[in-house]
Amino acid sequence: MRSAVVAAAVLSIVSAVAAEQHAFVIEDEFKHVACSSAVKLTNKGIECRLNSLSVNYGTGSGQQAVTCLPRGDDPSSYFLVQSPYGQPDCTRKTRIECGSVFRLLHLVTKKYLHSHAAHRSPHSKNQEVSAFDGVDKGDDWKLVCVNSAEKFWTRESPVRLQHLETGKYLSVTAGNTYNIKPPGQMEVSAASSTGNDQTWIAQEGIYFGNSD
């Protein structure tokens, strides 16, 4: 009798979870990433979120480290979408078009996602990616939409972030993990490849209604 009750309870929980997942729908008005959206970017190949923290590299540029964190509840994974270097501030709610250029500001430390050809990443020896509090063209990234039918950066759709100056793609390589807290943080670099490790999905975040 007890086992039947437990089984019924488990079935009820599973049904409730399934119903909740089925009920989650992204409304059309909020399905695109826009200027001033604050987003978490999940790497498709490794299932980790782009992250940064107040720790500097011990090699290379010595700038703030950028990592990829498996857990999804860390506030250090939020990046704010802004206009590219030298351009006027984009209007909030303006959708980010495929092929356009933008910057990502790390919300906690107020530094831009950055890369440069002069320095190598500590583990993979790819091009280093850092968070930089200066302002220059090394902060600019181009949006490459994997789905050619899409015109705008769409939530839950795969994209690649191509560093505008060097042409390299934002990347994660499994196994290259730092010995820092919180544990499990993997190296982020810029690479020439265009596979799953260089593919990202905008998931949790603050989204605005569309505006043209």
Side-chain angles (χ1 to χ4, degrees), residues 167-178:
K168 305 286 186 179
Y169 295 89
L170 191 68
S171 176
V172 182
T173 305
N176 292 331
T177 305
Y178 294 111

Side-chain angles (χ1 to χ4, degrees), residues 30-110:
F30 302 100
K31 72 178 183 179
H32 294 129
V33 179
C35 180
S36 297
S37 291
V39 299
K40 290 187 177 183
L41 297 175
T42 299
N43 184 270
K44 186 176 179 181
I46 311 296
E47 290 291 328
C48 58
R49 287 165 178 80
L50 188 67
N51 191 276
S52 190
L53 64 169
S54 297
V55 174
N56 291 349
Y57 290 121
T59 61
S61 69
Q63 294 172 5
Q64 184 171 296
V66 173
T67 64
C68 204
L69 186 63
R71 52 187 273 196
D73 60 349
D74 196 312
S76 291
S77 293
Y78 281 109
F79 287 82
L80 184 70
V81 181
Q82 294 191 341
S83 57
Y85 170 76
Q87 297 298 315
D89 292 340
C90 53
T91 304
R92 194 179 77 171
K93 302 200 303 185
T94 300
R95 293 177 290 181
I96 306 300
E97 292 190 47
C98 299
S100 63
V101 179
F102 59 93
R103 291 178 296 170
L104 290 175
L105 180 69
H106 186 239
L107 274 183
V108 173
T109 63
K110 309 302 181 187

Side-chain angles (χ1 to χ4, degrees), residues 82-204:
Q82 294 191 341
S83 57
Y85 170 76
Q87 297 298 315
D89 292 340
C90 53
T91 304
R92 194 179 77 171
K93 302 200 303 185
T94 300
R95 293 177 290 181
I96 306 300
E97 292 190 47
C98 299
S100 63
V101 179
F102 59 93
R103 291 178 296 170
L104 290 175
L105 180 69
H106 186 239
L107 274 183
V108 173
T109 63
K110 309 302 181 187
K111 297 182 179 182
Y112 286 103
L113 185 70
H114 183 88
S115 192
H116 30 231
H119 301 290
R120 303 293 98 190
S121 56
H123 294 298
S124 65
K125 305 305 178 185
N126 289 331
Q127 184 171 295
E128 183 190 271
V129 170
S130 64
F132 182 49
D133 56 2
V135 181
D136 62 36
K137 292 183 178 180
D139 302 335
D140 285 343
W141 298 83
K142 179 181 178 181
L143 180 69
V144 180
C145 296
V146 175
N147 184 350
S148 60
E150 291 177 341
K151 182 179 178 182
F152 299 100
W153 190 353
T154 305
R155 293 169 62 179
E156 301 293 335
S157 290
V159 299
R160 296 190 178 98
L161 306 186
Q162 184 178 29
H163 189 241
L164 192 64
E165 274 198 329
T166 64
K168 305 286 186 179
Y169 295 89
L170 191 68
S171 176
V172 182
T173 305
N176 292 331
T177 305
Y178 294 111
N179 186 26
I180 55 178
K181 294 182 179 180
Q185 297 194 60
M186 287 169 275
E187 179 187 81
V188 171
S189 62
S192 301
S193 306
T194 55
N196 280 341
D197 291 349
Q198 294 78 41
T199 303
W200 301 83
I201 299 170
Q203 295 192 310
E204 305 97 328

